Amino acid sequence: MDLHALERSPREDDYLAGPRAAWFAFAMTLALMVFDYVDRQIIVSLFPFIKAEWGLSDKQLGALVSVVSITVALGALPIALIADRASRVKSIVAMATIWSLATISCVWARSYGALLAARAVVGLGEAGYGSVGAALISSHFPSRMRGALLAGFFASASVGSVLGVLAGGYIASHWGWKAAFGVVGVPGLLLALLYLKVRDYRTVELAPGLDAKRRSLGEATLHIVRLLSRSRTMLWVCIGGAAQLIVVSALWSWLPSFLNRVHGIAPAQAGAKAALVVLAGAAGSVIWGMVIDRAGQSQPRRKLAVLALLCLASMGVLTYAFGGAHEPQAQFAWIALGGFIATCSVGPVSAIVIDVIHPGVRATGASVLALFQNLFGLAAGPFLVGMLSDGIGLQSALTVVPLASVLAAGAFLLAGRSYEADKARAAEPIDTTHRYAPAAA
């Protein structure tokens, strides 16, 4: 996302092409974000059907979720660099077309390898969409409106996750699990074609040296290393944020299968109940974000301490929920509470990274956090549970994996030691020879 271009835009406090064009761009970008996550999450409610038909191990099922996050993580930075260099609208159209066609192609998968490859392409198409979509929205609206609009844009991911879990179980129960991919893939393809009517914004010319660094994947990668080495807070927050997302992604990916196997709930109903936990997590991410912000008003480093305590609380609740002897309704209530607490890090980690990164390179800093979260958090959780489940059973695996929150809590406590110093340093002038224009958020 080219924040330098946005900051120097002559239309900073005005609409790029009028309110109608701006709201059309926002609606289209948000709708694609919803289907981005529908296509990503629909697979989790199909696990019981795929396992029954193909006899897959849980490790193989988990990989069908994890592979999407892996390709998203690896492809996000280079795709964002390409989008900054070319048209944002055409880049979004290409991304949505790729992930929608890849989702539809799952209908004809005849083997596990083919399905895994198609899911990898889904992630490749989705890589970079969040940053490029956010850049486009920011360009269309006055600066005073961007915070709320971007919050709504990223919150729509939770809506898509819920719809994906709900739709998958229902469609598979009526028309088969392969049909589910076709049903959810078509709307994204139609939206991609309609997106061609969205107005693009022009890239502001940068100094030749700065522009070359923005466009070079090697220079951008080198800058990621420099960012991590310059700020210990950022390094520990990236580790902690990823560790906590192991718990969240494991819970969201495997809860429908857990309810189906352990409690005998039909897949469609299991998906509906799991969607309630996803909604609880979405609400928790907002509420805990406000709590942590308030905790740090007098002493900023206290935010990290509260965040660490919440991570440990989520570990305790989820371990008790899956490991204790409960009646089904009581167990689900404990799981929902754990899911509500587990998303405590989603908002604060982004804000803390922004705090300790110089304003000129904040978008690149956000891209580093996204890389950690996708590769070491969202990708690791589903595969780790699947691997453990093959050896000790799904319920035991879901009891053990929340221990990753202990690593998250430790990392956040270590981040608290350097947070205030790194925050103060971020306000200092930055050496222009190290100032890379941000490429992704």
Side-chain angles (χ1 to χ4, degrees):
M1 184 169 74
D2 190 351
L3 294 187
H4 291 295
L6 296 179
E7 289 169 358
R8 292 197 298 268
S9 171
R11 296 180 176 271
E12 180 73 21
D13 295 315
D14 196 5
Y15 291 95
L16 176 69
R20 173 178 282 184
W23 285 109
F24 178 72
F26 177 73
M28 291 296 301
T29 309
L30 185 142
L32 275 178
M33 187 68 155
V34 169
F35 279 97
D36 176 341
Y37 276 81
V38 168
D39 292 355
R40 184 185 295 202
Q41 287 297 115
I42 192 169
I43 191 77
V44 303
S45 55
L46 305 181
F47 280 178
F49 302 94
I50 301 174
K51 187 177 183 68
E53 183 171 332
W54 284 358
L56 301 179
S57 68
D58 284 349
K59 181 172 69 174
Q60 289 174 307
L61 291 174
L64 293 173
V65 180
S66 297
V67 72
V68 176
S69 296
I70 291 172
T71 50
V72 165
L74 298 179
L77 184 57
I79 288 176
L81 286 168
I82 293 171
D84 262 345
R85 189 171 183 173
S87 163
R88 266 66 57 185
V89 167
K90 291 179 181 178
S91 297
I92 288 174
V93 170
M95 284 187 280
T97 301
I98 290 170
W99 88 58
S100 298
L101 288 176
T103 300
I104 295 170
S105 73
C106 295
V107 174
W108 294 282
R110 294 292 180 264
S111 67
Y112 173 74
L115 184 59
L116 184 67
R119 293 286 296 170
V121 177
V122 169
L124 185 62
E126 293 174 353
Y129 178 71
S131 59
V132 179
L136 194 81
I137 290 172
S138 296
S139 73
H140 269 278
F141 286 90
S143 59
R144 65 182 183 275
M145 301 174 65
R146 289 175 190 157
L149 290 170
L150 290 179
F153 171 62
F154 287 112
S156 66
S158 296
V159 176
S161 297
V162 170
L163 292 176
V165 174
L166 284 172
Y170 180 83
I171 297 169
S173 298
H174 289 79
W175 299 288
W177 65 268
K178 291 184 179 179
F181 293 111
V183 171
V184 301
V186 170
L189 192 59
L190 296 177
L191 286 171
L193 297 176
L194 186 58
Y195 205 89
L196 288 169
K197 294 185 176 293
V198 172
R199 289 283 296 272
D200 205 347
Y201 69 91
R202 296 177 60 186
T203 301
V204 176
E205 293 294 329
L206 302 177
L210 185 58
D211 186 55
K213 292 170 183 175
R214 182 196 67 180
R215 297 186 181 196
S216 166
L217 180 59
E219 290 284 354
T221 303
L222 179 61
H223 184 57
I224 287 175
V225 175
R226 284 175 173 163
L227 281 174
L228 292 174
S229 62
R230 190 169 189 261
S231 171
R232 286 192 175 274
T233 303
M234 182 172 173
L235 176 60
W236 287 118
V237 167
C238 285
I239 293 172
Q244 187 63 15
L245 279 183
I246 290 176
V247 181
V248 175
S249 61
L251 180 64
W252 287 13
S253 298
W254 284 103
L255 187 55
S257 293
F258 170 79
L259 295 172
N260 173 251
R261 296 184 199 177
V262 176
H263 296 299
I265 300 175
Q269 285 69 44
K273 293 196 73 171
L276 294 176
V277 177
V278 175
L279 284 175
S285 66
V286 176
I287 292 172
W288 295 122
M290 292 188 293
V291 169
I292 290 169
D293 279 344
R294 182 170 295 238
Q297 285 181 349
S298 58
Q299 291 184 324
R301 64 181 297 177
R302 190 178 295 170
K303 291 194 290 188
L304 280 305
V306 173
L307 187 53
L309 286 174
L310 288 170
C311 289
L312 292 176
S314 71
M315 182 272 295
V317 172
L318 288 173
T319 299
Y320 176 71
F322 288 108
H326 309 286
E327 292 295 325
Q329 289 185 342
Q331 184 180 47
F332 183 76
W334 280 108
I335 292 171
L337 176 61
F340 174 73
I341 303 173
T343 54
C344 59
S345 66
V346 172
V349 293
S350 297
I352 291 167
V353 165
I354 292 298
D355 285 344
V356 299
I357 295 297
H358 188 275
V361 289
R362 279 175 176 169
T364 306
S367 73
V368 177
L369 175 63
L371 176 66
F372 269 77
Q373 288 179 321
N374 277 280
L375 195 57
F376 304 114
L378 297 176
F383 184 76
L384 181 59
V385 170
M387 185 171 61
L388 290 173
S389 178
D390 288 335
I392 62 177
L394 182 56
Q395 184 164 355
S396 296
L398 288 170
T399 304
V400 170
V401 165
L403 292 174
S405 293
V406 177
L407 172 61
F412 290 137
L413 289 175
L414 289 171
R417 295 182 177 182
S418 55
Y419 174 52
E420 293 179 355
D422 282 345
K423 185 177 180 181
R425 189 185 302 119
E428 299 173 357
I430 193 170
D431 185 347
T432 56
T433 61
H434 292 164
R435 187 181 179 186
Y436 299 124

